[in-house]
Amino acid sequence: MNYLKMSMPSVLAMVTAFSMIPGGVLSDMRGTQGLEAQQLAQGSTHLHRRLKRGWIWKQLFVPEEDPTPRVIGQLKSDSDRGEFSIKYILTGEGAGDVFEIDEYSGEIRTLKKLDREEKAFYVLQAQAINRRTNEPEEPQSEFIIKVQDINDNVPQFQNEPYVSSIPEMCPTGTTVAQVTATDADDPMFGNNAKLIYSILQGEPYFSVEPKTGIIVTSWPNMDREAREQYLVVVQVKDMLGLSGGYSSSTTVTVSLTDVNDNGPTFQHHLYAFAIPENAAVGTTVGRIMAEDGDIGTNARMTYSLEDDLEGSSTFIIKTDPVTQEGVVLLAKPLDFETKRRFVMAAEAVNDHVDTRFLTLEEFSDRTTLKIVVEDVDEPPVFLSPVYEWKVPENAAAGTVVGIVSARDTDTVNNPISDTTKAFKIDPNNGTITVAKALDRETSNWHNVTVEAKEATQNHLSSSVVVFIKVLDINDNVPRLARDYQPYICEGTQAGELIQLLSAVDPDDPVEGHHFYFSMVPEKHINPNFTIRDNQDNTAGIVARRSTFTRKDRTQYLLPVVVTDSGSPALSSTSTLTISVCSCQPAGHCPTGGVKALALSMGVSLQTLIGILVCLVTLTALSILMLMVRRHRRKQQEGLEVKDLELPETVSQKVLYYGEPGRGGADLDFCPPVVPLRPHPRKRERKLWREDVRASIRMSLRESHLIGPEDEVFRQFILDRLAEADRDPYVPPFDCLKTYAYEGSGSPTGSLSSLESSTMELGPEQPVFNVCFVQP
């Protein structure tokens, strides 16, 4: 039999190991072991099996926190006879470090103090080995050494700090919070970890359940307005609160949340305010306040005014969202003369009510407001901010247009500002009348400023604007829109439109203008033209025949009557001059007003230009003949023609067109000059050579306007030849070489030697000879 001896100083525990033998018969262990060994060596097939022997262990207990090494038990095999032939070995958790075994005696002892909170038990294995054979005497057995708990830990609160809130006025027993503490000691061993809670501070308002740590209210109707916050101190003890245990405490902050258990209350029964009568709408009259012990949403309130309709509409009250005051505001203008005092009731009502605490009537309160209007010296006030009247433009002077009035009874004069001076005002009653004739076409609106001034010492005044619209009447005749100058082409056919007419009228009828066009009524129908009204404020002049020519007639007069649609209707007559024109293929006169003027004079433009050129040419030839005659008179006085130099003689200037040595072809000279017949008279006055040159040059400058083929030009030459034939004082033959006409397309312009005496003549320039022959 194997057995284990244990010795403990404080707790006695015996561990007994039993080995069970079959049949329940105890025999000599050593003999049996020898027999079994002998049979095994001889290979006997018949073996008596013995049951496996094992050690039955119970738990070994070791008190924690014991610093003294001590024997906690002994391991003993039934094979051990005290001869120290058995060796005991200990393995497992803490073997050799925390625990050790005496290999001879099998005593197990501790090596250091143990902490149950660090490790509560150890699992170890024990083995007995024969020293001689080194074979196990017993199979390896496992046992547990458990550390026995002692009360060495203080309970600790979790989740600190504790903060909680409950509504005020809550009933008794309302849960506030739960505190929880833990103890590291063994809750299964004794009372070391048995905790109990209690209140150190917070009574009688709060209590705590001893085992659960739940804090509840123990005082009814706690009022937030009286006290808003509480500090509750809770203590926890182990060992069920017995002496020798440990304890700790924690603080729970409990706040009371607000409920609407208070209604608004005015501190005064009457609030008095004063406001001047000229205060602007929106002016703050004053502030009132209803006290409410609640906060937040429970303290919000709405103010209202209660009075007759006039009073409640003159003032309004609004709630200031920040201060919860009632702000009284002016809603309408005041007048001291009309009403000087307002008395009204003001009421404050909570927005949110809770009938669990108060009745519905207790959530409101009322007070009285008295508002006094102060008198202010103010200017007159017109009954209307602006006046707008209408008056016809034919209204006679003195016609009443309208009346302005101010509210002040002490108004004595009403000055009027009117730059046109078209209106005047009665200073006593504000009646505005027409001062002079009106004309809508000149000014259709009049802006008049009327001023009302007090007769008091301050002479306060105010003004108002009066708009007067002048209504239109039909007092202007319609007229053609412009000065028409119609014309008709010679090839115009009957029924063709000659001119489109339109009209204007300064009047402005409401329904718009409508003009009617017609001809002056005559006994007979106009055979030449007619007027066709288009019914759209336009009309057309239409030809009635197709035989218009300038030879027959160059102008026609056509009266046109324009009538408006006014009441009464007005009309005007305009006479149009229709000219007959020789139009171009495009259908219009090429020269505009000049052509029309020429047609009205009955002379063609070509004829007019031809006559002008002939007059200029005649003047130039006359001056030329005069110079020739003077030159010949000088020859008769003894001067030789051959002795005269070309630049010194006007005749040679006229008759000679080439200068030798210029490089050009020499021109032919006229036949030799024959002696001139003596002139009966001698003129004393001599023309200067330069004057003659200038006259001839000016006369021939316009010669390019007509050509030698022109009928006027040919007739002019023939007339001059006839004069020369009839003149007895000229030689029988004179010859003049000149460049009078080179054609309109010549790029060089005039090449006349009279114009430029130094020009070189080309071989291709045409030469025209003008000869005067005396038979």
Side-chain angles (χ1 to χ4, degrees), residues 266-285:
F266 286 105
Q267 302 300 314
H268 305 282
H269 296 290
L270 175 65
Y271 292 86
F273 303 103
I275 183 173
E277 64 174 330
N278 62 347
V281 173
T283 301
T284 299
V285 180

PDB file of all heavy atoms in Angstrom, residues 266-285:
ATOM      1  N   PHE A 266     -45.731  87.807 -13.608  1.00  0.00           N
ATOM      2  CA  PHE A 266     -45.310  89.208 -13.726  1.00  0.00           C
ATOM      3  C   PHE A 266     -45.011  89.752 -12.330  1.00  0.00           C
ATOM      4  O   PHE A 266     -45.763  89.511 -11.368  1.00  0.00           O
ATOM      5  CB  PHE A 266     -46.404  90.054 -14.382  1.00  0.00           C
ATOM      6  CG  PHE A 266     -46.525  89.821 -15.870  1.00  0.00           C
ATOM      7  CD1 PHE A 266     -47.572  89.070 -16.378  1.00  0.00           C
ATOM      8  CD2 PHE A 266     -45.594  90.342 -16.740  1.00  0.00           C
ATOM      9  CE1 PHE A 266     -47.689  88.856 -17.741  1.00  0.00           C
ATOM     10  CE2 PHE A 266     -45.700  90.126 -18.110  1.00  0.00           C
ATOM     11  CZ  PHE A 266     -46.750  89.382 -18.610  1.00  0.00           C
ATOM     12  N   GLN A 267     -43.939  90.507 -12.230  1.00  0.00           N
ATOM     13  CA  GLN A 267     -43.539  91.084 -10.953  1.00  0.00           C
ATOM     14  C   GLN A 267     -44.294  92.368 -10.650  1.00  0.00           C
ATOM     15  O   GLN A 267     -44.274  92.836  -9.503  1.00  0.00           O
ATOM     16  CB  GLN A 267     -42.032  91.357 -10.953  1.00  0.00           C
ATOM     17  CG  GLN A 267     -41.184  90.118 -11.215  1.00  0.00           C
ATOM     18  CD  GLN A 267     -41.412  89.039 -10.182  1.00  0.00           C
ATOM     19  OE1 GLN A 267     -41.431  89.301  -8.975  1.00  0.00           O
ATOM     20  NE2 GLN A 267     -41.610  87.802 -10.638  1.00  0.00           N
ATOM     21  N   HIS A 268     -44.911  92.974 -11.685  1.00  0.00           N
ATOM     22  CA  HIS A 268     -45.665  94.216 -11.480  1.00  0.00           C
ATOM     23  C   HIS A 268     -47.050  94.048 -12.092  1.00  0.00           C
ATOM     24  O   HIS A 268     -47.225  93.384 -13.114  1.00  0.00           O
ATOM     25  CB  HIS A 268     -44.955  95.408 -12.128  1.00  0.00           C
ATOM     26  CG  HIS A 268     -43.535  95.590 -11.663  1.00  0.00           C
ATOM     27  ND1 HIS A 268     -43.218  96.165 -10.454  1.00  0.00           N
ATOM     28  CD2 HIS A 268     -42.348  95.247 -12.245  1.00  0.00           C
ATOM     29  CE1 HIS A 268     -41.902  96.195 -10.311  1.00  0.00           C
ATOM     30  NE2 HIS A 268     -41.345  95.635 -11.389  1.00  0.00           N
ATOM     31  N   HIS A 269     -47.975  94.704 -11.464  1.00  0.00           N
ATOM     32  CA  HIS A 269     -49.350  94.647 -11.977  1.00  0.00           C
ATOM     33  C   HIS A 269     -49.602  95.710 -13.043  1.00  0.00           C
ATOM     34  O   HIS A 269     -50.600  95.619 -13.766  1.00  0.00           O
ATOM     35  CB  HIS A 269     -50.339  94.825 -10.820  1.00  0.00           C
ATOM     36  CG  HIS A 269     -50.276  93.726  -9.806  1.00  0.00           C
ATOM     37  ND1 HIS A 269     -50.704  92.440 -10.071  1.00  0.00           N
ATOM     38  CD2 HIS A 269     -49.833  93.709  -8.510  1.00  0.00           C
ATOM     39  CE1 HIS A 269     -50.531  91.678  -8.995  1.00  0.00           C
ATOM     40  NE2 HIS A 269     -50.003  92.429  -8.037  1.00  0.00           N
ATOM     41  N   LEU A 270     -48.719  96.727 -13.135  1.00  0.00           N
ATOM     42  CA  LEU A 270     -48.900  97.799 -14.109  1.00  0.00           C
ATOM     43  C   LEU A 270     -47.544  98.224 -14.654  1.00  0.00           C
ATOM     44  O   LEU A 270     -46.603  98.448 -13.878  1.00  0.00           O
ATOM     45  CB  LEU A 270     -49.597  99.004 -13.459  1.00  0.00           C
ATOM     46  CG  LEU A 270     -49.749 100.250 -14.358  1.00  0.00           C
ATOM     47  CD1 LEU A 270     -50.677  99.950 -15.529  1.00  0.00           C
ATOM     48  CD2 LEU A 270     -50.274 101.439 -13.550  1.00  0.00           C
ATOM     49  N   TYR A 271     -47.473  98.314 -15.968  1.00  0.00           N
ATOM     50  CA  TYR A 271     -46.271  98.828 -16.646  1.00  0.00           C
ATOM     51  C   TYR A 271     -46.687 100.077 -17.413  1.00  0.00           C
ATOM     52  O   TYR A 271     -47.650 100.038 -18.207  1.00  0.00           O
ATOM     53  CB  TYR A 271     -45.700  97.800 -17.607  1.00  0.00           C
ATOM     54  CG  TYR A 271     -45.101  96.578 -16.936  1.00  0.00           C
ATOM     55  CD1 TYR A 271     -45.902  95.496 -16.588  1.00  0.00           C
ATOM     56  CD2 TYR A 271     -43.734  96.515 -16.663  1.00  0.00           C
ATOM     57  CE1 TYR A 271     -45.367  94.373 -15.972  1.00  0.00           C
ATOM     58  CE2 TYR A 271     -43.193  95.394 -16.054  1.00  0.00           C
ATOM     59  CZ  TYR A 271     -44.007  94.324 -15.710  1.00  0.00           C
ATOM     60  OH  TYR A 271     -43.463  93.212 -15.103  1.00  0.00           O
ATOM     61  N   ALA A 272     -45.967 101.181 -17.205  1.00  0.00           N
ATOM     62  CA  ALA A 272     -46.295 102.461 -17.851  1.00  0.00           C
ATOM     63  C   ALA A 272     -45.140 102.863 -18.772  1.00  0.00           C
ATOM     64  O   ALA A 272     -43.961 102.784 -18.396  1.00  0.00           O
ATOM     65  CB  ALA A 272     -46.555 103.541 -16.808  1.00  0.00           C
ATOM     66  N   PHE A 273     -45.524 103.307 -19.979  1.00  0.00           N
ATOM     67  CA  PHE A 273     -44.544 103.770 -20.966  1.00  0.00           C
ATOM     68  C   PHE A 273     -45.039 105.062 -21.610  1.00  0.00           C
ATOM     69  O   PHE A 273     -46.250 105.361 -21.587  1.00  0.00           O
ATOM     70  CB  PHE A 273     -44.316 102.722 -22.072  1.00  0.00           C
ATOM     71  CG  PHE A 273     -43.867 101.384 -21.547  1.00  0.00           C
ATOM     72  CD1 PHE A 273     -44.765 100.322 -21.457  1.00  0.00           C
ATOM     73  CD2 PHE A 273     -42.558 101.186 -21.143  1.00  0.00           C
ATOM     74  CE1 PHE A 273     -44.363  99.093 -20.978  1.00  0.00           C
ATOM     75  CE2 PHE A 273     -42.148  99.956 -20.659  1.00  0.00           C
ATOM     76  CZ  PHE A 273     -43.048  98.905 -20.571  1.00  0.00           C
ATOM     77  N   ALA A 274     -44.120 105.822 -22.183  1.00  0.00           N
ATOM     78  CA  ALA A 274     -44.437 107.058 -22.906  1.00  0.00           C
ATOM     79  C   ALA A 274     -43.723 107.027 -24.252  1.00  0.00           C
ATOM     80  O   ALA A 274     -42.585 106.543 -24.364  1.00  0.00           O
ATOM     81  CB  ALA A 274     -44.013 108.280 -22.104  1.00  0.00           C
ATOM     82  N   ILE A 275     -44.389 107.565 -25.279  1.00  0.00           N
ATOM     83  CA  ILE A 275     -43.832 107.570 -26.628  1.00  0.00           C
ATOM     84  C   ILE A 275     -44.276 108.845 -27.338  1.00  0.00           C
ATOM     85  O   ILE A 275     -45.444 109.252 -27.227  1.00  0.00           O
ATOM     86  CB  ILE A 275     -44.276 106.318 -27.413  1.00  0.00           C
ATOM     87  CG1 ILE A 275     -43.637 106.300 -28.802  1.00  0.00           C
ATOM     88  CG2 ILE A 275     -45.777 106.218 -27.489  1.00  0.00           C
ATOM     89  CD1 ILE A 275     -43.891 105.013 -29.561  1.00  0.00           C
ATOM     90  N   PRO A 276     -43.372 109.552 -28.045  1.00  0.00           N
ATOM     91  CA  PRO A 276     -43.785 110.769 -28.771  1.00  0.00           C
ATOM     92  C   PRO A 276     -44.665 110.406 -29.960  1.00  0.00           C
ATOM     93  O   PRO A 276     -44.557 109.317 -30.527  1.00  0.00           O
ATOM     94  CB  PRO A 276     -42.447 111.383 -29.213  1.00  0.00           C
ATOM     95  CG  PRO A 276     -41.491 110.247 -29.234  1.00  0.00           C
ATOM     96  CD  PRO A 276     -41.934 109.322 -28.140  1.00  0.00           C
ATOM     97  N   GLU A 277     -45.520 111.325 -30.318  1.00  0.00           N
ATOM     98  CA  GLU A 277     -46.477 111.053 -31.386  1.00  0.00           C
ATOM     99  C   GLU A 277     -45.826 110.937 -32.756  1.00  0.00           C
ATOM    100  O   GLU A 277     -46.404 110.347 -33.670  1.00  0.00           O
ATOM    101  CB  GLU A 277     -47.551 112.138 -31.430  1.00  0.00           C
ATOM    102  CG  GLU A 277     -47.009 113.533 -31.771  1.00  0.00           C
ATOM    103  CD  GLU A 277     -48.125 114.537 -31.950  1.00  0.00           C
ATOM    104  OE1 GLU A 277     -49.216 114.124 -32.367  1.00  0.00           O
ATOM    105  OE2 GLU A 277     -47.906 115.730 -31.668  1.00  0.00           O
ATOM    106  N   ASN A 278     -44.627 111.478 -32.925  1.00  0.00           N
ATOM    107  CA  ASN A 278     -43.958 111.382 -34.233  1.00  0.00           C
ATOM    108  C   ASN A 278     -43.045 110.173 -34.328  1.00  0.00           C
ATOM    109  O   ASN A 278     -42.205 110.093 -35.229  1.00  0.00           O
ATOM    110  CB  ASN A 278     -43.159 112.642 -34.509  1.00  0.00           C
ATOM    111  CG  ASN A 278     -42.051 112.881 -33.484  1.00  0.00           C
ATOM    112  OD1 ASN A 278     -42.033 112.238 -32.432  1.00  0.00           O
ATOM    113  ND2 ASN A 278     -41.141 113.793 -33.786  1.00  0.00           N
ATOM    114  N   ALA A 279     -43.159 109.244 -33.388  1.00  0.00           N
ATOM    115  CA  ALA A 279     -42.325 108.039 -33.446  1.00  0.00           C
ATOM    116  C   ALA A 279     -42.670 107.230 -34.691  1.00  0.00           C
ATOM    117  O   ALA A 279     -43.828 107.124 -35.094  1.00  0.00           O
ATOM    118  CB  ALA A 279     -42.527 107.194 -32.185  1.00  0.00           C
ATOM    119  N   ALA A 280     -41.629 106.659 -35.288  1.00  0.00           N
ATOM    120  CA  ALA A 280     -41.817 105.883 -36.510  1.00  0.00           C
ATOM    121  C   ALA A 280     -42.409 104.526 -36.189  1.00  0.00           C
ATOM    122  O   ALA A 280     -42.246 103.989 -35.077  1.00  0.00           O
ATOM    123  CB  ALA A 280     -40.488 105.714 -37.237  1.00  0.00           C
ATOM    124  N   VAL A 281     -43.105 103.981 -37.152  1.00  0.00           N
ATOM    125  CA  VAL A 281     -43.658 102.638 -36.995  1.00  0.00           C
ATOM    126  C   VAL A 281     -42.511 101.646 -36.809  1.00  0.00           C
ATOM    127  O   VAL A 281     -41.522 101.678 -37.529  1.00  0.00           O
ATOM    128  CB  VAL A 281     -44.515 102.271 -38.222  1.00  0.00           C
ATOM    129  CG1 VAL A 281     -44.956 100.822 -38.157  1.00  0.00           C
ATOM    130  CG2 VAL A 281     -45.712 103.196 -38.337  1.00  0.00           C
ATOM    131  N   GLY A 282     -42.654 100.755 -35.827  1.00  0.00           N
ATOM    132  CA  GLY A 282     -41.601  99.804 -35.503  1.00  0.00           C
ATOM    133  C   GLY A 282     -40.763 100.219 -34.306  1.00  0.00           C
ATOM    134  O   GLY A 282     -39.891  99.462 -33.865  1.00  0.00           O
ATOM    135  N   THR A 283     -41.003 101.422 -33.782  1.00  0.00           N
ATOM    136  CA  THR A 283     -40.246 101.891 -32.617  1.00  0.00           C
ATOM    137  C   THR A 283     -40.592 101.044 -31.391  1.00  0.00           C
ATOM    138  O   THR A 283     -41.753 100.693 -31.158  1.00  0.00           O
ATOM    139  CB  THR A 283     -40.562 103.369 -32.343  1.00  0.00           C
ATOM    140  OG1 THR A 283     -40.224 104.138 -33.501  1.00  0.00           O
ATOM    141  CG2 THR A 283     -39.780 103.884 -31.149  1.00  0.00           C
ATOM    142  N   THR A 284     -39.572 100.704 -30.590  1.00  0.00           N
ATOM    143  CA  THR A 284     -39.786  99.938 -29.361  1.00  0.00           C
ATOM    144  C   THR A 284     -40.345 100.850 -28.278  1.00  0.00           C
ATOM    145  O   THR A 284     -39.721 101.855 -27.911  1.00  0.00           O
ATOM    146  CB  THR A 284     -38.477  99.302 -28.895  1.00  0.00           C
ATOM    147  OG1 THR A 284     -37.992  98.410 -29.906  1.00  0.00           O
ATOM    148  CG2 THR A 284     -38.673  98.533 -27.601  1.00  0.00           C
ATOM    149  N   VAL A 285     -41.514 100.511 -27.785  1.00  0.00           N
ATOM    150  CA  VAL A 285     -42.149 101.312 -26.734  1.00  0.00           C
ATOM    151  C   VAL A 285     -41.582 100.936 -25.368  1.00  0.00           C
ATOM    152  O   VAL A 285     -41.283 101.797 -24.546  1.00  0.00           O
ATOM    153  CB  VAL A 285     -43.673 101.106 -26.778  1.00  0.00           C
ATOM    154  CG1 VAL A 285     -44.358 101.925 -25.684  1.00  0.00           C
ATOM    155  CG2 VAL A 285     -44.213 101.487 -28.150  1.00  0.00           C
TER     156      VAL A 285
END
